[in-house]
């Protein structure tokens, strides 16, 4: 797959660099564990954050291994996706809503705040795992900070990141990532193996990548950057 050269005549590279700096994964003292499948649907989180009461996981499609693992551990798992009629596997602790997630509630969409408010929840920490094909930026932005802080871990797949250089997309992308950075620290990143990359000078960036964020009060940082790829990452083309 060819790697297109990206023109830098729209958004100043220094502004983009600041957004990328907020995404630099930090090393933590807690080891990471892979939850879910070996390929798509598997994510790395700290081993100390498995004891949660609820998992909110918008974007189901045909994979729910991550949610299944947490349901087996006793967590309520809330799933939503308009594109399917049900998750590919059933579990007594699965709560499925046939809607897309978005910035506000309509006949076909739910806002993150509305979805959480209507869901039966436990009293413990929550995890958010979001793979919603580009709607992640507009979905995260209107969610109140106080509500986001209920999550100890946020896992997001960022899509179309090359749009960070677009003057129309940069404000949305940068504000969504800045919002997360107020209370969360990035601790892991993994480029989507099937997505193309783009060049900024001699630096190769993925257009789509998964990131794990941890609320700052639930981790202990080492003061160093995380080493990538992690031993538990599945990387093609090695």
């Amino acid at each position: 797959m060819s790697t297109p050269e990206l023109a830098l005549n729209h958004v100043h590279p220094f502004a983009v660099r600041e957004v990328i700096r907020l995404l630099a994964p930090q090393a933590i003292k807690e080891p990471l564990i892979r939850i879910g499948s070996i390929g798509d649907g598997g994510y790395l989180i700290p081993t100390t954050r498995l004891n949660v009461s609820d998992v909110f996981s918008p974007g189901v499609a045909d994979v729910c291994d991550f949610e299944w693992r947490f349901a087996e551990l006793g967590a309520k798992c809330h799933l939503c996706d308009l594109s399917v009629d049900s998750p590919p596997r059933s579990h007594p602790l699965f709560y499925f809503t046939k809607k897309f997630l978005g910035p506000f509630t309509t006949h076909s969409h739910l806002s993150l705040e509305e979805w959480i408010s209507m869901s039966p929840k436990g009293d413990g920490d929550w995890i958010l795992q979001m793979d919603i094909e580009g709607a992640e930026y507009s979905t995260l932005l209107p969610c109140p900070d106080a509500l986001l802080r209920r999550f100890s871990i946020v896992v997001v797949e960022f899509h179309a990141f090359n749009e960070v250089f677009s003057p129309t997309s940069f404000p949305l992308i940068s504000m969504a990532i800045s919002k997360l950075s107020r209370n969360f620290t990035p601790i892991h990143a993994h480029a989507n193996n099937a997505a193309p990359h783009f060049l900024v000078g001699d630096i190769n960036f993925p257009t789509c990548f998964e990131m794990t964020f941890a609320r700052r009060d639930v981790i202990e940082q080492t003061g160093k950057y995380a080493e990538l790829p992690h031993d538990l990452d599945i990387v093609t083309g090695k």
Side-chain angles (χ1 to χ4, degrees):
M1 182 180 295
S2 63
T3 305
E5 182 73 30
L6 191 68
L8 298 180
N9 57 356
H10 296 297
V11 177
H12 199 288
F14 288 125
V16 175
R17 182 183 299 172
E18 177 62 18
V19 175
I20 292 172
R21 184 188 66 79
L22 296 176
L23 293 173
Q26 305 299 306
I28 60 174
K29 293 187 177 180
E30 301 87 341
L32 302 182
I33 185 173
R34 188 178 187 91
I35 301 293
S37 64
I38 279 239
D40 190 28
Y43 306 96
L44 271 59
I45 67 169
T47 55
T48 54
R49 306 317 307 167
L50 298 181
N51 185 22
V52 296
S53 65
D54 294 82
V55 174
F56 288 85
S57 183
V60 179
D62 57 355
V63 179
C64 65
D65 297 336
F66 181 86
E67 300 84 353
W68 176 270
R69 175 71 182 276
F70 274 102
E72 288 290 277
L73 292 172
K76 294 185 179 74
C77 291
H78 312 274
L79 305 93
C80 73
D81 194 331
L82 184 62
S83 70
V84 296
D85 292 325
S86 64
R89 303 171 72 181
S90 61
H91 194 285
L93 290 176
F94 277 3
Y95 299 83
F96 176 73
T97 302
K98 189 175 170 61
K99 295 263 190 175
F100 285 135
L101 213 60
F104 43 80
T105 297
T106 67
H107 71 284
S108 59
H109 288 70
L110 284 172
S111 70
L112 181 56
E113 184 176 15
E114 175 72 14
W115 183 37
I116 292 172
S117 71
M118 62 182 276
S119 301
K121 301 170 288 294
D123 296 328
D125 274 340
W126 307 340
I127 285 179
L128 175 63
Q129 187 274 306
M130 180 182 293
D131 183 0
I132 51 177
E133 307 303 322
E136 57 276 3
Y137 307 108
S138 61
T139 295
L140 285 168
L141 196 54
C143 187
D145 281 354
L147 186 58
L148 281 179
R149 283 195 296 269
R150 287 290 280 110
F151 296 102
S152 60
I153 299 294
V154 174
V155 180
V156 186
E157 182 152 344
F158 291 112
H159 297 79
F161 192 71
N162 52 304
E163 291 297 315
V164 74
F165 285 97
S166 162
T168 56
S169 299
F170 174 81
L172 177 63
I173 294 173
S174 62
M175 285 190 294
I177 291 172
S178 295
K179 182 184 186 71
L180 274 177
S181 71
R182 287 200 285 267
N183 295 290
F184 295 87
T185 294
I187 60 172
H188 182 256
H190 174 61
N192 186 300
N193 291 322
H197 291 66
F198 62 95
L199 287 176
V200 181
D202 60 352
I203 303 174
N204 207 359
F205 282 92
T207 58
C208 179
F209 53 95
E210 304 157 359
M211 293 213 63
T212 302
F213 296 85
R215 205 176 63 221
R216 291 195 185 93
D217 65 309
V218 302
I219 54 168
E220 188 174 356
Q221 299 183 50
T222 67
K224 300 178 181 179
Y225 289 116
E227 292 188 13
L228 299 175
H230 191 278
D231 290 343
L232 297 176
D233 280 329
I234 307 302
V235 182
T236 61
K238 277 189 174 181

